Amino acid sequence: SQKIEQNSEALNIQEGKTATLTCNYTNYSPAYLQWYRQDPGRGPVFLLLIRENEKEKRKERLKVTFDTTLKQSLFHITASQPADSATYLCALVRGSQGNLIFGKGTKLSVKP
Amino acid sequence: EAGVTQSPTHLIKTRGQQATLRCSPISGHTSVYWYQQALGLGLQFLLWYDEGEERNRGNFPPRFSGRQFPNYSSELNVNALELEDSALYLCASSLGSGQAYNEQFFGPGTRLTVL
């Protein structure tokens, strides 16, 4: 079955630095991959979606890359701020629609 | 525009009882998904409904069931509650299965505690 791993449970960085989070998957390559942010006790919030034929996607301070050869996606937050502190979830779906398979998330802490 | 809403916010039940959780999707969305987020386990897919039909089911026992109503709202029922059912239950909605690359919008969740 498909597995998705976010290989850091927690990441601590200093304000202003770039945070880089990693998502790896096994088996089949998904049609697309999504990144979500989740704050404690709240539902995930959609951030970015990247399709299998896209190498990179940007939105403001966020950047996502997708390497189907390595079966890996990287999520970058540049000029990080304490308000970026949250858990970031990687998710994929096999087809063009359907339920998401989530990684366990990486808890990012940005220290002032 | 109103987001995905879920009720109740918190639900406390005892072992063996039944729980009913409700979800209203964003207007115009016809797909509803249910996920369970138990401590330390991450989000696990439960059920997917679209246009009133169950499209897919996660690896959960049959005592987890649900339905989608004609107005696309949805209900999740958990029978014969067990202690390990204690979790945050999240509902998400998206445009229908005829659309490609649907991002999912999540509600705030229902915290179910089984005593």
Side-chain angles (χ1 to χ4, degrees):
Chain A
S1 63
Q2 181 67 291
K3 286 186 180 179
I4 183 165
E5 292 181 353
Q6 295 183 249
N7 53 5
S8 295
E9 279 193 20
L11 180 64
N12 299 309
I13 64 168
Q14 206 66 34
E15 182 176 7
K17 300 292 186 184
T18 295
T20 298
L21 286 63
T22 305
C23 174
N24 295 290
Y25 58 92
T26 59
N27 298 337
Y28 55 80
S29 286
Y32 61 99
L33 194 144
Q34 303 185 18
W35 283 89
Y36 287 79
R37 168 184 172 142
Q38 188 175 25
D39 292 286
R42 310 189 79 164
V45 175
F46 171 81
L47 295 174
L48 279 169
L49 176 155
I50 186 164
R51 297 177 175 80
E52 59 183 335
N53 60 350
E54 296 176 320
K55 297 285 188 193
E56 183 180 297
K57 200 83 167 279
R58 291 176 184 262
K59 179 182 176 183
E60 298 172 354
R61 295 185 295 112
L62 309 180
K63 184 178 85 170
V64 173
T65 62
F66 195 5
D67 188 326
T68 55
T69 303
L70 293 178
K71 296 189 175 181
Q72 182 181 81
S73 174
L74 298 179
F75 177 79
H76 307 272
I77 305 175
T78 58
S80 60
Q81 305 165 0
D84 295 327
S85 298
T87 295
Y88 291 86
L89 302 165
C90 167
L92 58 82
V93 62
R94 183 172 188 176
S96 61
Q97 72 275 133
N99 56 280
L100 293 167
I101 302 169
F102 280 90
K104 288 190 177 182
T106 297
K107 185 176 181 181
L108 174 67
S109 296
V110 181
K111 305 295 183 186
Chain B
E1 181 183 310
V4 177
T5 59
Q6 292 186 246
S7 63
T9 305
H10 294 91
L11 190 56
I12 300 175
K13 295 285 186 178
T14 56
R15 210 166 39 176
Q17 284 188 314
Q18 180 201 32
T20 299
L21 288 65
R22 296 179 177 84
C23 171
S24 291
I26 291 172
S27 177
H29 286 188
T30 62
S31 274
V32 170
Y33 309 81
W34 287 96
Y35 296 87
Q36 181 197 66
Q37 189 172 35
L39 203 60
L41 291 181
L43 276 107
Q44 304 291 319
F45 165 69
L46 271 164
L47 290 159
W48 170 28
Y49 292 97
D50 181 67
E51 297 284 356
E53 293 190 11
E54 183 180 301
R55 300 292 186 183
N56 199 9
R57 181 182 181 84
N59 189 26
F60 281 84
R63 58 191 186 82
F64 287 84
S65 65
R67 53 181 171 165
Q68 186 177 35
F69 299 99
N71 66 353
Y72 304 116
S73 66
S74 177
E75 197 172 85
L76 173 69
N77 294 293
V78 189
N79 293 320
L81 285 165
E82 299 178 3
L83 296 177
E84 52 265 33
D85 296 334
S86 296
L88 182 68
Y89 288 83
L90 291 159
C91 171
S93 75
S94 73
L95 293 170
S97 59
Q99 305 292 324
Y101 308 121
N102 285 332
E103 61 197 69
Q104 295 184 15
F105 296 85
F106 283 80
T110 292
R111 173 72 63 185
L112 173 63
T113 302
V114 183
L115 303 174

